[in-house]
Amino acid sequence: MIRLENLTVRFGGLLALDAVSVEFTAPVSGIIGPNGAGKTTTMNVLSGFLDSKGGRVDVEGTDLLSLSAHARTRWGLRRSFQREQIAEDLSVRDNILAMTDHSRASRADKRADLERAIEFAGISDILAKPGAGLNTYERRLTDLARCVVGQPRLIMLDEPAGGLTRDEAAHLGDLILGINDLTSAKVLVIDHDVDLIERICTETLVLDFGKRIDFGPTRSILDNPAVRAAYLGFETGAAADA
Amino acid sequence: MPTLPLRSWQVGFFLAALLFLLLPVVLGGQWMRIFTSTACFTLAAAGAGFIYARLGMVSLTQVGLMGLGGWITLRLNHSTALPFEANLAIAAIGTAVLGMALALPALRMRGLYLALVTLMVAGGLEILFTAYQFPNGGAGFWGVGTSFAAEMRRPALAKTDAAYLRYCILLVVIGFVLIEWHLRAKPGRAWALIRRSEAAALASGVNVTLYKTWAFGLSGLLAGLGGGLLAGSLGLLDASTFRASESVLLFALVIVGGARSWLGIVLAAVLFRVAPGLLNNWGVDADLALVFFGAALLHAVITAPEGIAGQIIGLLSRLRRRNRGQA
Ligand SMILES: Nc1ncnc2c1ncn2[C@@H]1O[C@H](COP(=O)(O)OP(=O)(O)OP(=O)(O)O)[C@@H](O)[C@H]1O
Ligand SMILES: [Mg+2]
C-alpha cells in the first residue's frame, strides 16, 4: 500500500502539485496526465529531490518523507528517470553494481542478485559496454535491471518506454509485469503510451495541472469523460466527428 | 573500469620502471631537481585531474594545497625530531583535511561557481604564504628567521638527489595506484554517478556529501604529498611557487595533457616544470611558455577533449589495428 496525502509543490507562482492524495494498492499502478501535469514532480517528491509543503507519504508503514534521499534508496526505493541517467563512465555491469554498493547484503548475495537482474532484463551480452555507448533501448533495459536489485520495495518508472519502438515498448511492458515474480516491490509507472498503461497497470491516477482528476481501475478511468477531455482531448473530438 | 584501451596500466608500470632506473643516472644536477619537482607536481595534477574527469568538478587550489603540505613538512622538520616519512604523512593528512573542508562549497555549487570558490581559497593561501613565508628553522609559530637555513632531513632510504628522485617516482606510482584502486571500487562508481547527475547518485543510494568530501580529501592528500616531497627536495620553499595563478596554470595543463589518463597527468606536469626549463636553456624567455600553453589549451578545448594523451593513445590504437589487419 502506497498512500500519498496532500502532496503540494509550488514553483514560484506555479502550483505543480495541488494537495494530491491517493492510495495505490495494486502491484503495478499508473500515473498519467498531459505534459506538465505534475507526474514527474510526484515522483521527485517521493524520491526526496523536492519537498512537499505539508503532506505525508506512507509506504507499507514507512514514513518515506522522513528519510533523506539516499536513505530512501537504501530503504528500497528505486526509480528510473524520464531522461535516463546511466553513468557514461561505467560499464552496464558497474551501473547495476553501483545500485548494490550501499546495501548491507553479503558479497555472495549481491552477486546472485546481480546475476538475477541481468538475466531478468536480458542484457548479459552488453555487460561490458560502457554506458556512453548504449542505445536508448539498452539504456532502458539497464535502468530496469538497476531497479530490481537490492530488495526493492517501491519501484517508480518515469516514462520507461520513452523513445522506444512499438515492439521494444511491448517487450518492456512484459518485463514490467514480470517484476512482481522477481521481487515483492510495488511498481508505479508514468507513461504517455495509454495502451501500455492499460495493459500493465491495474489502477491509474490521472493528474492535470497538478490536480487529481480521477483515480481507480485503469479501464474505468479511461472511460471517464473528464479524463478524456483533459488527456485524450483528441479522442473526444474524434468521437464527436463520428 | 579501464581508463585506456591499451592495457594502460601495464604500459604505465613499464614506463615508470624505466624512468625509475634511467632518469637518476642520465640527469645532471639542475635537471635532477627539475624532474624531482615534476614528480611532485604530478601528484598534485593527478588530484585535480581525477576530480575533473571523474566527478566533473573543477578545483583550482591544488598548487596552493601543495604549499600547505610543504609548509607543514618544513614546520615539523624544524620543530620536531620526527623522521621525514612521519612529517610527510602528517602533512598529507593535514592537507587532505583542508581539501575536505573545500568540499563544503562543492556540496552546494557546481561548475563556474565552484571553480571561483576554489580559486579564492588559492588566493587566500597565496596571501598567507607571501605574508608569513615558509619555515626555515627560525623561532615562533611561523618558524621564519632571517638568514636561517636549518638542515632539511630526507628519508632514510633516499639521502642523495638521485635516490630522492626515485623515491618521488615511487610515490607518484603509489598515488596513481591509489586513484585507480578507488575508481575500480565503490567510490569510483559513486563518483561516476555524481558526475552523471546528483539525482542519479541519490537514486542509487549514494551519500553525495560523503563521496564528494572523500574525493576532495583524496585530491588534497595527493597535493599535500607533492608539497611535502618538494620541501624535502629543495629544503627551502618560496611563496612565489604556490601562487593562485600556478594552480590555474596546472589545471589548464591537465586539460591540455588529458585529465582522464595517467599519461595526460604526467604530460601536464612535464609541460608545467620541464618546458620552462628547456626554454631557459635555449635562451628563450620562459614566459613564452605561457603563450604556447594558451594555444595548446585552445587546441585541446576545441579539437582534443581527451588531451594530448588521448591523441597519442588514439594514434597507437590505430597503428595497432592496422598491424593486426596486415597480420
Ligand atoms: N525544477 C522546476 N522548477 C520550476 N518549474 C518546474 C520544475 N520542475 C517542474 N516544473 C514545472 O512543474 C510542472 C509539472 O512538471 P512535471 O515535470 O511534474 O510534469 P510531467 O507531468 O512530468 O510532464 P511531462 O509529461 O512533460 O513529463 C510543469 O509546468 C513544469 O514546467
Ligand atoms: Mg515528466
Side-chain angles (χ1 to χ4, degrees):
Chain A
M1 178 265 321
I2 307 158
R3 186 160 61 222
L4 318 187
E5 276 171 37
N6 266 317
L7 297 190
T8 303
V9 173
R10 192 182 277 283
F11 296 113
L14 178 84
L15 202 53
L17 275 187
D18 188 0
V20 171
S21 299
V22 66
E23 188 169 327
F24 298 103
T25 51
V28 182
S29 310
I31 304 179
I32 61 172
N35 291 112
K39 307 182 295 294
T40 300
T41 301
T42 306
M43 283 196 180
N44 284 343
V45 170
L46 295 188
S47 285
F49 304 156
L50 289 173
D51 287 331
S52 166
K53 207 169 153 295
R56 259 180 66 86
V57 175
D58 183 323
V59 184
E60 319 285 1
T62 302
D63 176 9
L64 209 58
L65 302 190
S66 69
L67 302 175
S68 68
H70 69 269
R72 291 180 204 187
T73 307
R74 294 177 189 191
W75 165 85
L77 183 65
R78 299 284 177 273
R79 79 171 285 179
S80 72
F81 294 86
Q82 191 166 347
R83 278 196 53 218
E84 50 68 36
Q85 299 286 319
I86 301 294
E88 312 266 305
D89 290 347
L90 300 181
S91 66
V92 168
R93 189 191 180 83
D94 279 346
N95 262 293
I96 306 168
L97 202 59
M99 202 78 231
T100 65
D101 270 344
H102 307 278
S103 91
R104 267 194 223 37
S106 73
R107 200 177 268 260
D109 284 349
K110 283 184 187 178
R111 184 160 320 138
D113 195 14
L114 185 72
E115 296 308 327
R116 225 156 33 105
I118 290 166
E119 195 192 312
F120 167 72
I123 49 176
S124 49
D125 48 337
I126 56 165
L127 285 182
K129 261 201 193 180
L134 300 179
N135 64 33
T136 310
Y137 188 43
E138 291 168 335
R139 282 164 195 260
R140 296 292 183 195
L141 291 177
T142 306
D143 251 345
L144 206 59
R146 279 166 51 77
C147 284
V148 297
V149 293
Q151 272 99 50
R153 300 203 218 189
L154 170 57
I155 298 175
M156 307 190 294
L157 305 171
D158 194 348
E159 303 197 17
L164 300 186
T165 65
R166 280 202 84 73
D167 288 349
E168 289 167 347
H171 178 58
L172 203 80
D174 294 338
L175 287 180
I176 295 172
L177 284 175
I179 290 179
N180 291 128
D181 296 334
L182 195 70
T183 77
S184 53
K186 289 276 194 308
V187 183
L188 275 183
V189 184
I190 294 177
D191 215 289
H192 284 293
D193 181 345
V194 179
D195 293 341
L196 178 74
I197 294 288
E198 193 176 354
R199 181 156 77 90
I200 67 178
C201 302
T202 321
E203 308 171 319
T204 296
L205 165 70
V206 188
L207 294 176
D208 191 19
F209 290 112
K211 285 199 177 56
R212 167 178 161 166
I213 308 239
D214 197 2
F215 173 71
T218 308
R219 203 39 280 156
S220 68
I221 63 132
L222 288 179
D223 289 335
N224 176 347
V227 172
R228 297 177 80 88
Y231 188 47
L232 310 165
F234 55 92
E235 283 198 9
T236 17
D241 285 348
Chain B
M1 182 167 44
T3 335
L4 297 173
L6 271 182
R7 290 264 165 183
S8 116
W9 58 273
Q10 291 174 344
V11 182
F13 277 120
F14 177 73
L15 209 71
L18 207 67
L19 292 177
F20 182 85
L21 292 175
L22 287 187
L23 270 188
V25 182
V26 299
L27 294 177
Q30 179 62 17
W31 283 103
M32 190 89 82
R33 290 256 161 119
I34 291 183
F35 272 90
T36 304
S37 98
T38 302
C40 301
F41 279 91
T42 304
L43 282 165
F50 100 81
I51 288 231
Y52 178 68
R54 304 302 172 176
L55 281 94
M57 298 194 290
V58 174
S59 167
L60 297 176
T61 325
Q62 282 302 88
V63 177
L65 289 176
M66 272 183 88
L68 183 71
W71 190 92
I72 299 175
T73 309
L74 287 172
R75 194 73 201 83
L76 291 171
N77 179 75
H78 296 315
S79 62
T80 69
L82 292 172
F84 177 83
E85 289 85 345
N87 295 340
L88 186 64
I90 296 171
I93 292 168
T95 315
V97 171
L98 189 76
M100 287 182 186
L102 261 184
L104 296 180
L107 299 178
R108 301 236 137 255
M109 291 180 216
R110 316 213 91 211
L112 184 62
Y113 298 101
L114 173 62
L116 284 175
V117 170
T118 62
L119 187 60
M120 272 159 56
V121 174
L125 285 170
E126 174 178 338
I127 291 170
L128 280 180
F129 294 148
T130 313
Y132 295 105
Q133 293 298 326
F134 284 85
N136 61 2
F141 176 76
W142 297 104
V144 181
T146 39
S147 71
F148 260 91
E151 182 229 7
M152 178 76 200
R153 295 187 292 281
R154 281 209 174 160
L157 285 173
K159 295 285 185 208
T160 66
D161 278 358
Y164 194 77
L165 173 54
R166 291 203 166 115
Y167 188 82
C168 291
I169 293 176
L170 207 64
L171 279 177
V172 167
V173 172
I174 292 175
F176 278 130
V177 169
L178 188 65
I179 292 178
E180 199 57 38
W181 178 68
H182 272 86
L183 291 181
R184 282 162 195 258
K186 199 162 137 176
R189 292 191 281 272
W191 292 335
L193 285 161
I194 292 174
R195 174 165 180 247
R196 186 67 181 84
S197 76
E198 229 152 90
L202 289 170
S204 301
V206 172
N207 183 338
V208 173
T209 310
L210 174 72
Y211 281 96
K212 275 190 178 175
T213 310
W214 189 336
F216 273 83
L218 178 59
S219 166
L221 182 97
L222 294 168
L225 212 54
L229 286 172
L230 194 64
S233 163
L234 303 174
L236 288 170
L237 290 177
D238 186 71
S240 67
T241 312
F242 306 105
R243 282 195 293 248
S245 56
E246 300 295 310
S247 287
V248 177
L249 180 59
L250 185 66
F251 178 78
L253 289 177
V254 164
I255 306 291
V256 170
R260 291 183 69 84
S261 69
W262 56 263
L263 180 61
I265 301 298
V266 172
L267 284 172
V270 167
L271 286 174
F272 187 78
R273 294 310 288 173
V274 179
L278 274 181
L279 291 181
N280 248 338
N281 262 16
W282 297 334
V284 183
D285 186 353
D287 283 346
L288 264 184
L290 289 178
V291 177
F292 164 69
F293 291 159
L297 182 62
L298 268 183
H299 169 67
V301 168
I302 295 169
T303 60
E306 302 281 311
I308 302 176
Q311 294 186 314
I312 294 178
I313 291 153
L315 187 72
L316 289 181
S317 34
R318 269 200 300 282
L319 284 178
R320 247 172 29 144
R321 227 172 303 141
R322 187 176 306 164
N323 284 345
R324 205 174 295 150
Q326 282 166 357

